[in-house]
């Protein structure tokens, strides 16, 4: 394998239980050297997700006694540096749980197996082309998407009713409807909207496609930035809400969690949050707090949002790459994906898994609209730009913060984003 940039960085610093449910991975014939042992590094950190992962792995091991999988429980903190060290030292696990935004640098350095020929046609058909594109680098599928999230709007139904607002119905809500509700619900000490944009770049990248924003073209070191009207549309619309007095400008400098507390206290009629917050609202909101998740936001190009799914990848240096790939396909079967995502309050990449969660939950606690929002997840060009993470932290985040708080205009925002990328 070539000497990689990652190695240089190190030097510098419902579970299916039968044989028929194994997705093409029946029990293997024992070999002269004994059973095959695979390691699976899981980052699931919520009790329900940890339990679901354990069940799925146990189901695999029961059906495949000669291909044993051992789960290595890890955490999200510091995992990139840990994997960098493991890959450099050729000690990385066989199967790796991570996310699209972070696996592509490893793919660029040749550390991940191309799964294009390992994934069955039926498994590929479960996931949209746009989501597959988010895990494809240089024509190779380097991870299987598992769990996703979107940005959604939560509303205090009492405050909307007090303002004479009718809760929108249907499969989507236009930005104009959203802005009108925020305006109507702004009364006295109540603001129509609180939006925690202390770290705004992720929101701009993910939600920007509702207006056709792409931000980047090309892959790897050849990726180029492209800032036009579509890319400026979302920050411009958010700032307009603040300028109109419908969006609390203070919330723009706060985290989503801080804004959620104010939402519980009745300070905001609506808040935009990651879809996973529906589970936290159902669990943590004060007794008697009446809330609803509104239909997915629709911009000039529809309800599209950029996907940055959690993923399962296979170490290219695994001694048993084919078997590891079979385990990945088993793990991501719809029933397993539904079980894991329902436990983690996330959106399955699989269409059938989304249908299964909708049936199991009856759409309650925000699930109906959360799952609906997942249908429009599409490709995320920024994931394939090698220097995106550095640009996000040092250029984009401060530039968006200054623009949203009125310190710079649109032309300056565009100039700072483009010039910062070129640097």
């Amino acid at each position: 394998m070539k000497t990689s940039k990652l190695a240089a960085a190190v030097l510098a610093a419902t579970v299916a239980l039968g044989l028929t449910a194994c997705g093409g991975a029946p029990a293997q014939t024992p070999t002269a050297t004994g059973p095959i042992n695979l390691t699976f590094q899981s980052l699931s950190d919520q009790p329900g997700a940890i339990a679901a992962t354990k069940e799925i792995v146990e189901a695999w091991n029961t059906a495949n006694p000669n291909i044993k999988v051992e789960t290595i429980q890890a955490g999200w903190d510091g995992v990139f540096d840990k994997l960098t060290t493991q890959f450099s030292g050729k000690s990385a696990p066989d199967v790796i749980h991570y996310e699209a935004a972070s696996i592509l640098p490893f793919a660029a350095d040749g550390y991940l197996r191309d799964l294009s020929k390992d994934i069955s046609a039926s498994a590929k058909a479960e996931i949209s082309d746009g989501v597959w594109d988010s895990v494809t680098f240089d024509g190779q599928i380097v991870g299987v998407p598992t769990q996703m999230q979107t940005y959604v709007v939560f509303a205090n139904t009492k405050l909307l009713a007090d303002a004479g607002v009718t809760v929108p119905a249907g499969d989507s809500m236009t930005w104009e409807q959203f802005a009108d509700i925020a305006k109507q619900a702004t009364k006295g000490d109540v603001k129509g909207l609180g939006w925690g944009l202390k770290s705004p770049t992720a929101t701009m990248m993910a939600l920007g496609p509702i207006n056709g924003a792409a931000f980047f073209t090309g892959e790897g070191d050849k990726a180029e930035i492209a800032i036009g009207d579509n890319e400026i549309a979302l920050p411009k619309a958010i700032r307009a809400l603040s300028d109109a007095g419908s969006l609390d400008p203070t919330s723009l400098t706060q985290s989503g969690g801080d804004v959620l507390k104010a939402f519980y206290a009745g300070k905001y009629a609506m808040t935009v949050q990651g879809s996973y917050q529906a589970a936290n609202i159902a669990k943590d909101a004060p007794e008697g707090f009446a809330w609803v998740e509104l239909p997915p936001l629709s911009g000039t190009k529809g309800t599209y949002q950029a996907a940055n799914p959690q993923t399962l990848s296979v170490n290219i240096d695994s001694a048993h790459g084919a078997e590891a790939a079979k385990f990945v396909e088993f793990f991501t079967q719809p029933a397993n994906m539904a079980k894991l995502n329902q436990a983690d309050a996330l959106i399955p990449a699989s269409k059938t898994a989304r249908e299964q969660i909708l049936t199991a939950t009856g759409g309650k606690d925000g699930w109906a609209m959360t799952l609906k929002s997942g249908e429009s997840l599409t490709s995320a060009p920024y994931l394939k730009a090698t220097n995106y993470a550095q640009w996000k932290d040092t250029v984009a985040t401060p530039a968006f913060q200054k623009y949203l708080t009125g310190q710079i205009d649109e032309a300056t925002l565009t100039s700072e984003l483009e010039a910062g990328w070129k640097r």
Side-chain angles (χ1 to χ4, degrees):
M1 182 179 296
K2 62 182 179 181
T3 301
S4 70
K5 288 171 286 197
L6 293 172
V10 173
L11 293 173
T14 319
V15 181
L17 288 175
L19 291 177
T20 58
C22 291
Q28 303 296 303
T29 302
T31 65
T33 57
I36 291 171
N37 295 301
L38 301 175
T39 52
F40 165 40
Q41 182 164 287
S42 170
L43 304 181
S44 295
D45 54 6
Q46 298 301 312
I50 292 172
T53 298
K54 181 179 179 181
E55 283 190 50
I56 296 169
V57 172
E58 288 179 349
W60 166 271
N61 286 338
T62 297
N64 297 270
N66 296 299
I67 308 176
K68 290 291 186 181
V69 173
E70 175 191 1
T71 302
I72 301 171
Q73 190 64 50
W76 287 92
D77 290 345
V79 69
F80 187 90
D81 291 339
K82 179 179 179 180
L83 281 170
T84 298
T85 302
Q86 290 174 325
F87 279 125
S88 180
K90 297 189 179 296
S91 60
D94 297 288
V95 179
I96 300 152
H97 173 198
Y98 209 4
E99 64 175 0
S102 299
I103 64 169
L104 293 181
F106 294 115
D109 281 330
Y111 287 123
L112 301 180
R113 179 184 173 95
D114 179 10
L115 300 173
S116 303
K117 296 180 180 179
D118 296 311
I119 304 166
S120 67
S122 59
K124 287 180 179 177
E126 280 289 331
I127 299 173
S128 71
D129 291 342
V131 175
W132 277 122
D133 184 67
S134 71
V135 293
T136 302
F137 185 84
D138 196 22
Q140 299 183 353
I141 295 176
V142 295
V144 177
T146 58
Q147 299 171 275
M148 310 183 294
Q149 73 166 61
T150 54
Y151 285 93
V152 300
V153 183
F154 297 105
N156 180 319
T157 53
K158 181 180 184 304
L159 292 181
L160 292 192
D162 290 346
V165 175
T166 300
V167 175
D171 292 339
S172 65
M173 171 175 61
T174 67
W175 189 273
E176 290 73 22
Q177 287 177 302
F178 174 56
D180 187 54
I181 293 170
K183 180 180 179 179
Q184 291 182 63
T186 299
K187 291 188 175 184
D189 294 333
V190 176
K191 286 288 188 182
L193 179 64
W195 197 333
L197 287 172
K198 182 179 181 180
S199 301
T201 309
T203 303
M204 301 306 171
M205 296 296 124
L207 196 54
I210 68 171
N211 294 312
F215 287 97
F216 294 98
T217 60
E219 294 185 1
D221 293 332
K222 296 181 180 180
E224 296 181 359
I225 199 164
I227 306 296
D229 291 344
N230 292 347
E231 286 68 36
I232 297 299
L234 179 61
K236 182 178 178 180
I238 294 173
R239 180 163 157 178
L241 290 173
S242 178
D243 291 345
S246 304
L247 166 59
D248 182 5
T250 301
S251 71
L252 295 173
T253 64
Q254 297 176 327
S255 69
D258 289 336
V259 170
L260 204 54
K261 294 175 184 176
F263 178 62
Y264 294 154
K267 185 176 179 179
Y268 305 131
M270 298 186 295
T271 181
V272 179
Q273 301 275 343
S275 54
Y276 67 91
Q277 292 284 21
N280 292 326
I281 296 173
K283 175 171 60 73
D284 299 333
E287 185 176 355
F289 183 82
W291 63 280
V292 66
E293 183 176 326
L294 300 183
L297 278 168
S298 176
T300 58
K301 302 298 182 181
T303 58
Y304 295 109
Q305 294 192 37
N308 177 23
Q310 292 184 37
T311 54
L312 292 185
S313 299
V314 174
N315 179 358
I316 198 169
D317 287 330
S318 170
H320 305 288
E323 289 80 6
K326 288 181 182 296
F327 169 72
V328 168
E329 179 153 354
F330 174 83
F331 193 98
T332 55
Q333 287 179 351
N336 292 339
M337 211 184 285
K339 186 178 186 69
L340 181 65
N341 278 270
Q342 189 172 343
D344 233 358
L346 291 170
I347 304 169
S350 157
K351 179 179 183 294
T352 299
R354 293 196 295 271
E355 293 170 350
Q356 290 174 353
I357 291 179
L358 184 62
T359 298
T361 63
K364 296 179 180 178
D365 293 335
W367 272 114
M369 290 305 165
T370 291
L371 295 168
K372 175 62 66 176
S373 70
E375 295 177 4
S376 298
L377 281 163
T378 188
S379 58
Y382 74 93
L383 295 178
K384 301 183 182 184
T386 298
N387 295 319
Y388 168 75
Q390 182 181 3
W391 174 82
K392 173 177 70 73
D393 293 338
T394 63
V395 176
T397 290
F400 282 127
Q401 287 172 335
K402 287 187 292 184
Y403 175 77
L404 293 174
T405 54
Q407 299 175 56
I408 60 175
D409 59 15
E410 295 167 31
T412 305
L413 172 62
T414 298
S415 176
E416 290 194 7
L417 293 175
E418 291 179 339
W421 179 258
K422 291 174 183 176
R423 287 197 303 272

